[in-house]
Amino acid sequence: PGWNPGWNSSTVINFSNALLQSSVNYLGLTTMAGYTAANNSFLDSYMSLSMDHTGMYELYQSELWTAKTETMDKILMDCLILTVVVSLVLGGEVYLFGAEILRLYTEEAEVIRCGIEIFAYTTVTYFRAELWIVFPGALRGMDRSTVPMILSVIGTVGTRIVWVFWLFPAHRSLAFLFISYPASWLITIAMQVICFYFVRRKVHG
């Protein structure tokens, strides 16, 4: 009660993005401008899908105490399918029409090229980020609010700290830096799924 299911996800994302921003600054003004333009479009996509997380939390919470295990499993599956389909469509559209979208922010060809390259690693793989949001919603619905917060910090922020401070200095390129997005999402999802499996068994047997 009183928990905002989207709060810690947004906080973690903002903090980890700040880490990436600090590294983008080393790649020059053109890359910085491309990142800014791409990030604005990326945030629009994130906000349009953040409702999945809140919906997952509310539905799970309502079903938890009635012990309708099959209903909860169906809700999870429906949310996963909806999330993957919608995020793939939106992410694909942003990438395919990336040049047109980025021209809303800049007319410089090199800046647009950098933005499109960033899209390739963020929007196309964006469904991973949304799965990263659905499973914490399910865990919170089973009254495990602290667990997804810890896993999000470890999986997302932890991975990007390692990436930015230990790996990136030896491979200073735009592509290598932004591979950290899908990589950190994948690591976080894996931990969330494992945690969900054990919590689900404990709550419902």
Side-chain angles (χ1 to χ4, degrees):
W3 175 267
N4 180 348
W7 180 85
N8 85 313
S9 297
S10 298
T11 303
V12 169
I13 288 173
N14 291 334
F15 181 76
S16 59
N17 283 346
L19 290 176
L20 268 293
Q21 174 74 64
S22 66
S23 297
V24 169
N25 295 341
Y26 287 104
L27 299 176
L29 293 176
T30 299
T31 303
M32 289 170 60
Y35 170 78
T36 300
N39 194 50
N40 288 336
S41 302
F42 183 72
L43 288 176
D44 289 340
S45 297
Y46 172 77
M47 292 302 295
S48 68
L49 287 169
S50 61
M51 66 184 72
D52 287 340
H53 183 277
T54 303
M56 192 70 196
Y57 172 77
E58 297 295 342
L59 286 169
Y60 250 73
Q61 192 68 38
S62 66
E63 296 294 338
L64 176 65
W65 303 115
T66 58
K68 297 177 181 178
T69 307
E70 293 183 0
T71 302
M72 292 177 66
D73 291 342
K74 185 177 186 302
I75 291 171
L76 175 62
M77 186 58 62
D78 288 346
C79 283
L80 290 175
I81 293 172
L82 177 64
T83 293
V84 171
V85 171
V86 173
S87 56
L88 280 175
V89 170
L90 288 180
E93 287 179 349
V94 171
Y95 179 69
L96 290 175
F97 299 100
E100 289 74 14
I101 294 172
L102 292 168
R103 285 194 184 96
L104 296 173
Y105 304 96
T106 180
E107 290 291 338
E108 296 185 30
E110 188 60 22
V111 173
I112 292 174
R113 185 196 66 77
C114 288
I116 292 175
E117 185 174 355
I118 291 171
F119 282 157
Y121 297 103
T122 55
T123 60
V124 177
T125 61
Y126 190 42
F127 69 94
R128 294 180 183 178
E130 288 303 311
L131 293 179
W132 173 85
I133 292 174
V134 170
F135 279 102
L139 287 166
R140 291 190 182 99
M142 291 186 288
D143 285 348
R144 299 299 190 275
S145 298
T146 304
V147 174
M149 178 184 68
I150 295 173
L151 294 181
S152 296
V153 171
I154 294 173
T156 303
V157 179
T159 299
R160 292 181 189 178
I161 286 176
V162 171
W163 206 280
V164 167
F165 293 106
W166 280 276
L167 301 179
F168 178 69
H171 307 277
R172 291 185 183 274
S173 71
L174 185 64
F176 186 84
L177 179 61
F178 280 90
I179 288 174
S180 65
Y181 270 93
S184 61
W185 291 334
L186 186 61
I187 291 171
T188 305
I189 292 167
M191 292 191 298
Q192 300 280 17
V193 170
I194 292 171
C195 180
F196 173 82
Y197 173 76
F198 286 106
V199 171
R200 165 73 170 68
R201 287 188 60 185
K202 184 176 181 180
V203 171
H204 290 288

